[in-house]
Every structure is written in structure tokens, then in C-alpha cells.
Amino acid sequence: MKSKRRLQLTTEIDVGAFSDIAFLLIIFFILTTSIIRISGQQLDLPTGEQSKEKQKENTLTIYINGARIHYGEADNAPVVSLLELRTRLLEADLKNKLDSKERMVILDSTKDVVYDLYFQVVSTISNAGGILALVEEDVKGSGEEKGQHDSAS
Amino acid sequence: MIRRRKRKPPVIPIASMGDIAFLLIIFFMLTSNFMKNRSIELEEPTSADIQEVKKTQVSVTVDRDCVLRLQGEVCDLEMLEGGVNALTKDADDKRVQLKIDKNLTKEEYIGVFLALSRANAKIVLVGQPEAE
């Protein structure tokens, strides 16, 4: 009499494909990972506040009116292109000036100046070694404009 | 009678390949940084005077809808100075990355500059290099 052997059903999970899946995932991550590179310009801003009148004494001022860049503090100052601005700032040799007051550049602009142009001017000034002083309008309407000094240089 | 030796084919044990693969996956998952700012819609300005800078710990963004975000979270302009102060207070690196949509006007972004300057942060303006 044949002894009947119970067929034991094995409960094995076939793990042969796991390594294939793992390698596919690795390839996926390698192909989709992108190395983020940030490009920018660190601003050099002085500390403290001063009135604009005091600041303007012998200080280079750049005024942006809409899409026009004026090399000077008012609308009647000469209009320059970005390239001309870069050239003039390099000629001013701001990087080699020892006194930080001589490196200061006041940037004033109208309210409708788009950030793209503002960014380009700010980058040009910072790249030329200038210390940027931003002009803040007095919100309370006293009529006095304050030159804002910002973070430590 | 000639007996032929059965040639056993060379066997390369590949049992550990699965382990190596999973270790590599775990390595990539731990070292990759998810791009948190992907959902923020803004166009970066361009300039020829910028260069590659190191990533900062603190980031401030103003998107095309003029929504201000500090570290990816929406924030008020009044809270920005305090928030940046808190983040940079004990940090060695006081640089703050500032990304603003290129189409915003001065009255929309100048407040951010002033708030960051009052927080004594070193502002790093982020943009794209101009295509040559």
C-alpha cells in the first residue's frame, strides 16, 4: 500500500525580481535627480539710517524712472544703458576704495520699476563693489525721505 | 570506457545584488533633497552680473501673485522681520536667499528688502544668468 504523502504546499515568495525592481528604481532616481545650482548676487548693505539729504553729499546716486536708468539723482541726470552703467561703475573703481562711504551708491527709483530691471541694476552695483543704500519713502507723508541703511556690510 | 567529466558552468553568486541595490536606493533617498519650492510660481529675473552662490539656510520668495513666503510657508510682511530674526539669531550663516518674480513693481517688493535689512540679514538676490 502506497503511503500517501501529503503534498506540502510551499509558501515561498519568489524574490528573484526584487533586484530588477531595485535597479530600475535606482536608474529612475539617477535620471530624475537634478542638481540645483543657485545663481545670485550677495548685497552689501550698510547699517543704520540717515536722512537722504545728508547721504547725498558726495555720494553716487542712481535713479531709475520706469525703464530709464539715470546716472544721477534726478530726471535731468544723463540716461544710461545697463552696459554704460556697468562701465561707469567700473571706472569709479569702487572695489579699491578703502572708505566705505566712498563705496556707497544710493539707489532711488519710482514705484513702477519692475523687479527685473531693479535686479539688474542692483547686481551691477554690487558686482562693481558698491555698497547699496536703498531709499525709503516716509510712509507718514511728512515729506522727508529717509535713506535706509540695511544689514551689516 | 571514457568518462566525460561534466563541466559545471561557472556560477557567480548574485544573491547579494538585491541587498546592494536596496542599500543604494536608501542612500539616494536619504541624500536627495525634495524641491519644496516647485509649487511656487515665479519667473526669476536675469542678469549678467551674477554668479553661482552657496545655498542658504533661509529663503524668502515673493511669487507672481505677490504672496510672500518664508521657508516655503506663507507669511505676512509684518511677521517677516521677526521670522528671519528667529531663524538667523543663533546661526553662523545670516544670509537669506531672496527670490522675487521679475514682473512685480517696486511698491510690491521694496517692503521685503527693508524688512530683511531691519532683521540684519545678508540678502542674496537670486536670479538666472543671462543667456549669451
Side-chain angles (χ1 to χ4, degrees):
Chain A
M1 201 162 94
K2 274 183 186 175
S3 60
K4 284 184 182 173
R5 277 186 188 174
R6 265 192 188 171
L7 283 171
Q8 266 190 337
L9 292 169
T10 55
T11 53
E12 283 178 0
I13 301 168
D14 187 7
V15 295
F18 266 30
S19 58
D20 294 331
I21 294 166
F23 278 113
L24 282 169
L25 282 170
I26 288 169
I27 292 163
F28 170 77
F29 276 115
I30 290 170
L31 292 174
T32 56
T33 302
S34 56
I35 297 168
I36 301 170
R37 287 202 178 95
I38 300 169
S39 297
Q41 180 68 254
Q42 182 161 334
L43 295 189
D44 206 357
L45 301 167
T47 50
E49 278 190 22
Q50 276 187 13
S51 69
K52 194 176 178 188
E53 286 68 33
K54 191 177 175 184
Q55 222 176 42
K56 278 184 178 174
E57 292 170 17
N58 301 322
T59 305
L60 178 59
T61 304
I62 292 167
Y63 177 63
I64 311 174
N65 186 353
R68 293 193 308 271
I69 305 168
H70 295 266
Y71 196 78
E73 67 175 90
D75 272 331
N76 53 5
V79 176
V80 294
S81 66
L82 206 55
L83 191 59
E84 284 167 9
L85 176 66
R86 196 178 294 141
T87 309
R88 290 199 187 198
L89 287 173
L90 288 172
E91 281 170 8
D93 198 23
L94 298 170
K95 276 184 185 169
N96 293 324
K97 289 201 165 28
L98 298 170
D99 189 1
S100 58
K101 285 181 187 172
E102 290 178 8
R103 288 176 56 202
M104 201 169 299
V105 177
I106 297 177
L107 179 61
D108 195 4
S109 57
T110 52
K111 288 181 183 176
D112 59 343
V113 172
V114 285
Y115 182 65
D116 195 25
L117 179 60
Y118 195 84
F119 176 81
Q120 289 176 0
V121 172
V122 164
S123 303
T124 303
I125 294 168
S126 294
N127 200 40
I131 297 176
L132 203 62
L134 304 177
V135 173
E136 177 188 6
E137 302 287 336
D138 190 356
V139 179
K140 290 179 183 174
S142 67
E144 185 187 339
E145 287 185 353
K146 286 184 182 176
Q148 174 79 16
H149 289 235
D150 313 340
S151 63
S153 57
Chain B
M1 204 160 82
I2 300 166
R3 270 187 185 175
R4 277 191 182 165
R5 263 191 192 173
K6 273 186 184 175
R7 271 193 185 173
K8 286 183 184 175
V11 174
I12 302 168
I14 56 169
S16 59
M17 273 176 74
D19 296 330
I20 293 167
F22 278 112
L23 282 169
L24 283 170
I25 287 171
I26 291 165
F27 170 77
F28 276 113
M29 283 172 67
L30 291 175
T31 54
S32 64
N33 292 313
F34 288 106
M35 290 171 66
K36 290 177 192 168
N37 296 332
R38 264 225 166 120
S39 59
I40 300 171
E41 291 181 358
L42 67 86
E43 274 183 85
E44 288 181 9
T46 55
S47 173
D49 294 307
I50 55 176
Q51 51 271 338
E52 207 171 304
V53 291
K54 280 186 195 171
K55 200 179 168 190
T56 60
Q57 296 297 321
V58 182
S59 76
V60 175
T61 54
V62 186
D63 67 11
R64 64 174 69 159
D65 298 321
C66 217
V67 175
L68 175 64
R69 285 184 173 86
L70 173 63
Q71 301 288 72
E73 303 292 329
V74 177
C75 170
D76 285 336
L77 192 59
E78 293 79 25
M79 309 287 288
L80 180 64
E81 187 187 337
V84 170
N85 257 329
L87 290 165
T88 57
K89 193 174 56 174
D90 297 320
D92 293 327
D93 182 14
K94 294 197 185 299
R95 294 178 310 138
V96 173
Q97 178 183 301
L98 178 57
K99 207 188 279 190
I100 299 175
D101 185 84
K102 70 177 189 177
N103 297 312
L104 294 184
T105 55
K106 184 185 174 187
E107 53 189 346
E108 290 166 326
Y109 58 74
I110 198 65
V112 178
F113 274 86
L114 298 173
L116 289 176
S117 68
R118 282 192 292 268
N120 286 325
K122 294 194 177 188
I123 303 172
V124 177
L125 293 182
V126 173
Q128 292 290 328
E130 251 176 22
E132 290 175 23

